[in-house]
Amino acid sequence: MKASEGMFDESVIFVTKQGTQVRTDEGRIVVWDVDGDDGELASYPTEKLDTINVFGGVNFSTPFVARANEHGIVLNYFTQNGKYRGSFVPERNTIAEIRRAQYALSDDDELDLAKAMIAGKIRNARTLLSRKGVHGTDVLKDLGVRAENATNKDGLRGTEGEAAERYFNRLDETLTDGWTFEKRTKRPPEDHINSLLSLTYVMMKNEVLSGLRQYNLDPFLGVLHADRHGRPSLALDLQEEFRPIFCDAFVTRLVNRGVITHDDFTADNHLADEAFKTYLSKFDDYMQEEFTHPHFEYSVSRRKAIRQQVILLRKTMTGEMDEYHALTFDR
Amino acid sequence: MKASFRDELVPVSALNEYVYCPRRFYYQRYQDEIGTPYELVDGRSKHERQSRRGGWVRERYFRSNDLGLHGKIDLVESNDETLTPVERKRAESAEYYPSDEVQLAGYCMLLETALDESVNVGYIYLYSTDQRYAIQITENHRKTVREIVRHIRTMTVDSIPPLTDNPSKCEACSAREYCMPEETAMLEPDKAKGTGFEREERR
C-alpha cells in the first residue's frame, strides 16, 4: 500500500526572521522582508498550508488573516525564544456533530482512549530505550500491561507516573559523553537537556494542537489530563504516545550528533538566538522526515502520521471506529 | 432527534455524489471532509466561461416536492420544441460514469415535472474530448433516482456508510486522506467485511 499524496508534508511553516510580514500575493502566501531589502523570502500555495508558526517580530497583513480564516489556516504565535503566546483559530462551520460526539463521551469512553494512549506511550518508551541499546526494561512492559488494565483514571495516572520515572531513570544511558540526564525538571528546566525536552514538548504540543483544530476537535477537553484553565488537555493526552519515540528521540539525536552543544545555551538554560533557529529548522526537517509506518507499512512523514492519529482519534470519538489505535512501534 | 434530509429537498448533484460513494457523500454532508478537488474548481471556472456564450437556456433552477429533488440545470437545449438537459463534465478519463447518468436522469425528471410532459433524453458533454452523448432515460434510471433520494433523505449522522466496494474509485477521491479506507481495513478488519477492502490473511 502507498500513502496517498502529501497533503500534510508541507502544511506547516515556521517564520523566524524578525521584521518580516506574511501577506498574500496572487493566491500564494508570501513572507516579505519589510524591515530589510530582501523582498520576498519565501512563498507557499495557500491550499497546502494549515498552520503557520511565527516567532517574535513577524506581522500579518489584514488580507492575509482574512485568507487564513477562509482557508482554515491556524496561526500560532510564539516569542522569539519559542514560548507559546496564543493562536488565531479560523472559524469553521461544520463542527457541531463532531463536538457533540466529543462532549458526549462517557467516563468509560474517556478511560478507554486514555488507556490506549498511555499504554502506547509506555510501549514506545521501551522501544526507544531498546533502539538505543538500553535493555532490562521488563518493568516497563509490566507497567504497560497495568495501563491496559486500568479501571479508573487515577490508577492510570499512577501507572503513567511510575513508568515515566522508570523510563527517565534509564534515559541517561542513551546520551553521548558530555551529556547527562539526572532527572526530569520543568518550570524552569534546570539543565540543558531538560530545556531541550521542554522545548520539544511545546513544539510537539503545537503540532498536535493544530491537528486537533484542523479536524474540529476541542483541544481543551481532555480524556486524562485534568481540566485546568487554558490547558489544552486533549493535545497533551494525544501527545503522550509521541513523547518518547518522537520528542525524546529528537533531543537525543540533536545532542548525540553535536547539532546542539552546551555552548549554545544562555545562562538561564535557553537556546541562544542562532541555536534556536537551528533547532527550529531541524525540528521541521524531523517532522517532514519519513519512516515506515508500523501499522500501515508505507512510508509517511512524522507530521502526517501525527495528523492521521488525530483522524483516528476523531473516528473513535464519533463511533466510526471501535477503538483508538495509538501509534506504537514494537522495535 | 438527529438531523437528516427527511424534510429537505435533495440537490440533484447529491445523486451523483451518492452513487459515486455513499461514504464520501456522508463526509461531505456531515463533516466537511472532502477537500476541494482540483476538478471541481476547474469545472466551476469552465461553467462560468461557458455560460456567458449565447444560444441556450442556462443555469435554470427547478424544484419538485413530489420528487424530493431540486437543482440547477447547467444548460437546457431547445430543438423543435423539445427541451433537453445537458450535463457537462470535465472527465479527465475521457468517459462518463454511471453516476453521471443518474444525475442527468434527475434533471430530466425535474424538467418533465416542470413542463408536465415527458423528457426521455438528456446529453452528457465531456470537455476533455469535446464529445456529446445522448442518454436515453429508462425506467431503471428513474427507479434509481427515487431510491437514492429515499436513501439520502433517511440518512443520519449516526450511520456511516461502508467503505466502497470499488477501491479504484478512491484513487482520485479527495476524501481519501480522511476516509483512510485501507488503513481502516488493516486496523479493524471487520469494518471492511463485504467491501472492496476486505482481504485475505495479511502478509
Side-chain angles (χ1 to χ4, degrees):
Chain A
M1 168 160 77
K2 195 173 98 192
S4 36
E5 303 272 293
M7 178 158 114
F8 310 116
D9 294 352
E10 293 159 345
S11 59
V12 179
I13 58 171
F14 297 79
V15 184
T16 53
K17 191 172 166 64
Q18 303 301 292
T20 56
Q21 185 185 53
V22 183
R23 51 171 80 160
T24 61
D25 184 21
E26 309 219 331
R28 290 178 73 83
I29 290 174
V30 171
V31 181
W32 195 265
D33 183 20
V34 273
D35 285 4
D37 306 319
D38 292 338
E40 183 180 309
L41 298 170
S43 93
Y44 309 87
T46 308
E47 297 73 33
K48 278 199 156 187
L49 294 184
D50 63 47
T51 306
I52 302 181
N53 296 312
V54 295
F55 297 82
V58 177
N59 73 65
F60 298 121
S61 75
T62 306
F64 164 75
V65 177
R67 176 147 316 170
N69 186 45
E70 205 179 304
H71 287 265
I73 300 171
V74 175
L75 313 177
N76 295 318
Y77 298 84
F78 297 85
T79 65
Q80 212 174 331
N81 287 321
K83 190 174 183 321
Y84 177 69
R85 279 295 158 89
S87 299
F88 167 81
V89 183
E91 57 173 350
R92 292 286 294 264
N93 56 4
T94 52
I95 60 173
E97 294 295 349
I98 305 298
R99 289 287 168 96
R100 218 184 282 281
Q102 183 184 354
Y103 297 155
L105 291 177
S106 67
D107 281 353
D108 284 349
D109 295 335
E110 291 185 354
L111 181 63
D112 285 343
L113 290 169
K115 285 192 321 196
M117 290 166 181
I118 297 304
K121 177 189 189 177
I122 297 173
R123 168 73 262 184
N124 288 338
R126 273 183 73 211
T127 300
L128 177 72
L129 291 176
S130 128
R131 282 181 183 176
K132 302 284 179 185
V134 180
H135 297 293
T137 55
D138 285 356
V139 63
L140 284 177
K141 190 175 182 178
D142 296 342
L143 288 166
V145 174
R146 213 207 280 173
E148 280 166 11
N149 295 329
T151 52
N152 59 65
K153 288 187 187 178
D154 279 342
L156 183 60
R157 287 188 195 104
T159 305
E160 194 280 320
E162 197 178 331
E165 199 186 327
R166 301 276 185 172
Y167 162 75
F168 279 124
N169 277 339
R170 307 296 303 276
L171 195 62
D172 185 53
E173 298 167 46
T174 69
L175 300 178
T176 189
D177 286 354
W179 290 88
T180 52
F181 181 85
E182 294 291 335
K183 64 175 185 353
R184 177 80 187 115
T185 57
K186 36 195 169 178
R187 288 185 291 273
E190 289 168 11
D191 55 43
H192 297 166
I193 199 86
N194 270 294
S195 169
L196 284 175
L197 287 174
S198 291
L199 176 58
T200 306
Y201 295 152
V202 169
M203 297 309 294
M204 180 59 81
K205 181 189 76 186
N206 282 291
E207 290 281 337
V208 175
L209 197 82
S210 301
L212 292 171
R213 287 197 161 125
Q214 196 76 20
Y215 290 99
N216 286 318
L217 291 170
D218 182 346
F220 292 90
L221 192 80
V223 294
L224 184 63
H225 278 81
D227 297 340
R228 190 180 294 167
H229 207 65
R231 173 198 262 181
S233 297
L234 187 63
L236 295 171
D237 293 336
L238 181 56
Q239 182 187 16
E240 293 289 0
E241 66 199 73
F242 310 129
R243 280 181 197 256
I245 209 75
F246 288 163
C247 302
D248 303 348
F250 175 63
V251 169
T252 47
R253 184 196 281 196
L254 285 180
V255 304
N256 288 351
R257 291 187 183 175
V259 176
I260 300 284
T261 68
H262 289 296
D263 294 341
D264 288 324
F265 290 86
T266 61
D268 60 353
N269 293 334
H270 279 119
L271 281 174
D273 288 357
E274 275 312 303
F276 181 63
K277 276 183 199 160
T278 307
Y279 172 92
L280 287 180
S281 110
K282 293 290 174 191
F283 181 81
D284 190 41
D285 291 348
Y286 187 72
M287 294 310 292
Q288 289 191 52
E289 203 175 276
E290 299 201 340
F291 64 97
T292 302
H293 197 286
H295 308 310
F296 307 147
E297 298 165 0
Y298 49 63
S299 181
V300 63
S301 71
R302 291 192 176 86
R303 178 165 288 141
K304 177 164 174 178
I306 291 167
R307 300 295 167 109
Q308 286 183 325
Q309 293 308 118
V310 173
I311 293 175
L312 292 176
L313 175 62
R314 181 169 122 165
K315 284 177 184 286
T316 314
M317 286 182 168
T318 56
E320 190 179 318
M321 296 198 73
D322 295 335
E323 56 180 302
Y324 175 67
H325 302 267
L327 177 61
T328 54
F329 297 79
D330 288 344
R331 59 198 144 104
Chain B
M1 269 245 299
K2 289 288 177 182
S4 79
F5 271 128
R6 240 186 309 274
D7 305 316
E8 293 170 38
L9 295 180
V10 173
V12 178
S13 56
L15 299 175
N16 195 331
E17 298 280 355
Y18 188 91
V19 174
Y20 187 80
C21 177
R23 190 173 169 104
R24 179 188 151 90
F25 178 77
Y26 172 94
Y27 288 134
Q28 182 181 9
R29 169 74 183 88
Y30 295 110
Q31 302 188 346
D32 186 30
E33 283 303 343
I34 64 156
T36 308
Y38 167 71
E39 198 169 328
L40 193 69
V41 175
D42 192 58
R44 264 185 209 143
S45 63
K46 281 207 165 99
H47 277 194
E48 273 164 30
R49 262 185 283 134
Q50 296 261 333
S51 54
R52 280 189 213 105
R53 282 194 226 140
W56 305 278
V57 184
R58 298 168 196 290
E59 302 259 306
R60 224 9 118 69
Y61 175 80
F62 297 92
R63 57 182 295 147
S64 159
N65 289 332
D66 289 346
L67 291 171
L69 271 177
H70 71 148
K72 221 189 259 175
I73 305 182
D74 276 0
L75 197 131
V76 182
E77 201 177 276
S78 65
N79 258 330
D80 311 325
E81 318 261 308
T82 320
L83 295 180
T84 313
V86 184
E87 173 60 17
R88 295 172 298 183
K89 293 288 170 195
R90 193 166 174 276
E92 210 131 68
S93 59
E95 57 192 343
Y96 61 87
Y97 297 101
S99 57
D100 296 332
E101 281 191 29
V102 175
Q103 185 179 3
L104 186 67
Y107 288 134
C108 290
M109 289 163 76
L110 269 182
L111 194 57
E112 64 195 3
T113 313
L115 298 172
D116 202 20
E117 57 187 63
S118 44
V119 177
N120 292 318
V121 174
Y123 295 121
I124 294 177
Y125 170 80
L126 304 185
Y127 288 110
S128 53
T129 55
D130 195 26
Q131 292 281 316
R132 195 161 88 154
Y133 301 88
I135 310 293
Q136 190 75 36
I137 304 302
T138 63
E139 193 42 45
N140 228 351
H141 281 123
R142 293 170 198 274
K143 220 173 88 192
T144 308
V145 168
R146 283 186 216 105
E147 256 166 39
I148 296 165
V149 169
R150 191 165 46 79
H151 280 306
I152 290 177
R153 292 182 104 175
T154 53
M155 196 171 187
T156 69
V157 68
D158 295 328
S159 56
I160 181 158
L163 300 168
T164 176
D165 53 7
N166 178 4
S168 65
K169 284 182 177 175
C170 302
E171 277 163 31
C173 176
S174 58
R176 184 187 185 155
E177 295 269 6
Y178 184 78
C179 184
M180 299 177 83
E182 245 171 324
E183 291 86 345
T184 298
M186 283 176 142
L187 294 173
E188 298 188 356
D190 59 308
K191 295 275 188 301
K193 285 223 172 77
T195 74
F197 289 93
E198 186 167 20
R199 48 158 104 184
E200 304 296 306
E201 280 301 294
R202 279 184 51 194
R203 279 167 293 144

